[in-house]
Amino acid sequence: MKIAGLLKQIDQIDTFKRYGRVKRVIGLMIESQGPQSSIGDVCYIYAGSQQKRKILCEVVGFKEENVILMPYTTVNDISPGCLVEATLKPLEIKVGAALVGKVIDSLGQPLDGSVLPKGLTAVPTEQAPPNPMSRPPISEPIEVGIRLIDGLLTVGNGQRVGIFAGSGVGKSTLLGMIARNTTADLNVIGLIGERGREVREFIERDLGPEGLKRSIVVVATSDQPALMRIKGAYTATAIAEYFRDQGLNVMLMMDSVTRVAMAQREVGLAVGEPPTTKGYTPSVFVVLPKLLERTGTNENGSITSFYTVLVDGDDMNEPIADTVRGILDGHFVLDRDLANKGQYPAVNVLKSISRVMNHIVSESHSKAAEKLREILSTYINSEDLINIGAYKRGSSKEIDEAIRLYPKILTFLKQATHEKVTMQESIEALYQFIQEGE
């Protein structure tokens, strides 16, 4: 029976190779006459004086009867007439437990130049999101080891959260803290469009040996072609999906989804899409939901995901921030003013929300968190009057209470970078604060 099955598979193998020829190169695009292929298929271009070097490309569109390709790497030696070979398959990467602790590129190859371990499984980078009816509801919290988040913005196992901030407000530091302290089985970290200098700094300083030994890091630096940056996000998501299907609770962190959108804009403009909102092409707003909806829960396991969003000029309503906020299950806003005051993590509690918190925590925990928010809001709204001495003590019972408790609130919100706090300790600290205020 086995031999019969193998013979049947051999009969079904397409041994016919399809070729085309490069016709012209325009900017980021390579136009070729043939080969027969589909959108998303990988092709090889044989470049160089003797056409011995193979350049990996992807089919991104068609123009009349020509195929439009985009390379995964920079190209300098492609000339008219270079041979183009079709694989008739989309990009696949190899994944397995032996990949844990590795730093890889968008194509799944180790960045240190080592050889991939044996026994890995090939998976496509682009997959459909889980069926909505097969997604179990988020019913339990996941510990991230940060008092402010576990206490006031509790994250559910399988929740998708956006971290919104301008540059230099502490996004990478926050992700490093989560990666080291979380109770998830595995971290998958996508560094998309990062400066080359910051990659090693993040791995050695923010993530550290403790975090790296339970993580897989996917890197696509800002100098790489747009397609590599897009594929970096897809590769990180595909790796997380593979381990979710193995029954694990995976923590996916992507820094940043804004740079994925910028890379998609580059591709869209290159293939002739019209620029719309702030220069972003329509395909950007199609790609984002497809990418972000792939994470979350399914019948086997879960992917809890954190996506950082760069907000230009701290504008929370710019197109990408607005779109991502509408797709995800919550958002944390990092405030530059809080960072300037030395409050880390610089999460603005009053502007942040976890949409599933009330469904996964006890009623007493929810009420305690709401009480702290009320006291903090009262103080912030009256802060200018208090600072200039215009408020007279005794005028308002609520403001008097807020002034008395504000230093204790700050103590609760602040946390040293390498300080680990369990969820139980965070909840107990919250209850203790409420008791002191009564």
Side-chain angles (χ1 to χ4, degrees):
M1 290 294 291
K2 283 186 177 181
I3 294 173
L6 289 171
L7 289 172
K8 187 177 180 181
Q9 287 182 15
I10 291 169
D11 287 338
Q12 292 174 347
I13 292 174
D14 185 2
T15 57
F16 191 77
K17 287 194 174 184
R18 293 163 176 82
Y19 293 97
R21 293 279 181 184
V22 171
K23 192 172 180 182
R24 58 182 170 179
V25 177
I26 307 171
L28 304 173
M29 297 291 119
I30 300 165
E31 199 173 312
S32 73
Q33 203 163 8
Q36 180 187 341
S37 52
S38 305
I39 293 284
D41 283 357
V42 170
C43 292
Y44 291 107
I45 296 178
Y46 291 84
S49 57
Q50 297 180 339
Q51 296 198 8
K52 289 185 176 180
R53 190 164 77 89
K54 292 169 74 172
I55 296 174
L56 200 61
C57 299
E58 184 175 306
V59 178
V60 294
F62 304 98
K63 186 176 181 181
E64 296 173 353
E65 295 182 1
N66 295 329
V67 178
I68 300 175
L69 303 159
M70 184 171 253
Y72 288 113
T73 56
T74 54
V75 292
N76 298 315
D77 49 1
I78 290 180
S79 56
C82 284
L83 202 63
V84 182
E85 180 187 342
T87 65
L88 303 182
K89 293 192 299 184
L91 181 67
E92 290 186 338
I93 55 162
K94 293 188 175 180
V95 190
L99 217 55
V100 178
K102 299 277 187 185
V103 181
I104 61 175
D105 65 13
S106 302
L107 305 179
Q109 298 300 316
L111 273 184
D112 59 5
S114 61
V115 180
L116 275 174
K118 293 183 179 179
L120 302 179
T121 304
V123 296
T125 58
E126 295 191 42
Q127 300 182 49
N131 187 314
M133 296 305 293
S134 71
R135 289 183 183 266
I138 297 170
S139 57
E140 59 182 18
I142 187 168
E143 186 176 308
V144 299
I146 298 173
R147 184 167 47 240
L148 180 156
I149 296 175
D150 285 339
L152 304 177
L153 300 164
T154 312
V155 176
N157 192 12
Q159 186 176 350
R160 301 162 304 150
V161 180
I163 299 175
F164 294 74
S167 55
V169 189
K171 297 184 299 299
S172 297
T173 304
L174 183 64
L175 291 182
M177 289 176 72
I178 294 171
R180 290 193 307 272
N181 299 339
T182 181
T183 54
D185 299 318
L186 175 72
N187 299 315
V188 179
I189 303 169
L191 302 179
I192 313 301
E194 282 286 348
R195 303 174 189 88
R197 173 186 63 82
E198 291 182 340
V199 171
R200 190 164 176 179
E201 284 184 7
F202 174 82
I203 292 168
E204 294 183 358
R205 296 180 190 175
D206 297 326
L207 190 58
E210 179 188 351
L212 183 59
K213 69 182 181 184
R214 54 199 294 263
S215 304
I216 299 171
V217 183
V218 181
V219 175
T221 52
S222 58
D223 60 293
Q224 293 182 317
L227 206 55
M228 281 290 271
R229 283 174 271 146
I230 296 169
K231 289 302 173 185
Y234 282 45
T235 295
T237 306
I239 292 170
E241 287 170 326
Y242 171 84
F243 287 105
R244 175 180 62 185
D245 292 341
Q246 305 298 310
L248 299 184
N249 294 324
V250 183
M251 181 72 75
L252 172 66
M253 286 168 273
M254 192 175 294
D255 184 17
S256 73
V257 73
T258 307
R259 294 191 181 112
V260 178
M262 288 177 174
Q264 182 60 42
R265 176 174 63 185
E266 283 184 46
V267 174
L269 290 172
V271 297
E273 284 188 70
T276 52
T277 314
K278 281 202 173 180
Y280 287 100
T281 55
S283 63
V284 172
F285 303 100
V286 174
V287 163
L288 285 176
K290 284 184 177 179
L291 175 65
L292 303 181
E293 285 288 349
R294 286 170 61 179
T295 57
T297 58
N298 72 358
E299 61 272 18
N300 300 313
S302 69
I303 301 174
T304 307
S305 48
F306 288 91
Y307 298 97
T308 69
V309 181
L310 286 166
V311 287
D312 292 336
D314 296 329
D315 176 15
M316 291 299 299
N317 296 315
E318 62 97 24
I320 300 303
D322 209 34
T323 302
V324 171
R325 188 167 53 241
I327 298 169
L328 300 179
D329 311 316
H331 54 272
F332 300 163
V333 178
L334 299 189
D335 196 315
R336 192 176 299 279
D337 290 337
L338 296 179
N340 291 340
K341 292 176 183 177
Q343 180 181 319
Y344 289 100
V347 178
N348 189 321
V349 175
L350 301 179
K351 292 182 179 178
S352 305
I353 189 170
S354 170
R355 292 181 183 170
V356 304
M357 178 177 174
N358 291 335
H359 303 297
I360 58 174
V361 300
S362 65
E363 187 177 353
S364 59
H365 180 179
S366 181
K367 285 183 177 178
E370 193 59 39
K371 178 67 175 174
L372 189 147
R373 278 173 170 266
E374 286 177 8
I375 296 169
L376 180 60
S377 177
T378 300
Y379 183 88
I380 296 299
N381 290 336
S382 310
E383 189 173 20
D384 290 341
L385 291 175
I386 296 166
N387 289 339
I388 65 173
Y391 174 75
K392 292 183 180 179
R393 195 175 293 272
S395 302
S396 167
K397 183 181 175 183
E398 289 79 12
I399 296 177
D400 287 345
E401 181 189 36
I403 294 171
R404 179 173 65 85
L405 293 174
Y406 185 66
K408 294 177 181 176
I409 292 177
L410 279 183
T411 302
F412 180 86
L413 297 179
K414 289 182 178 180
Q415 185 172 332
T417 304
H418 290 279
E419 178 188 358
K420 183 174 181 179
V421 182
T422 65
M423 178 171 280
Q424 189 59 39
E425 289 170 345
S426 300
I427 296 170
E428 286 173 1
L430 180 61
Y431 287 155
Q432 184 180 354
F433 166 80
I434 297 303
Q435 288 170 1
E436 289 175 355
E438 292 175 349

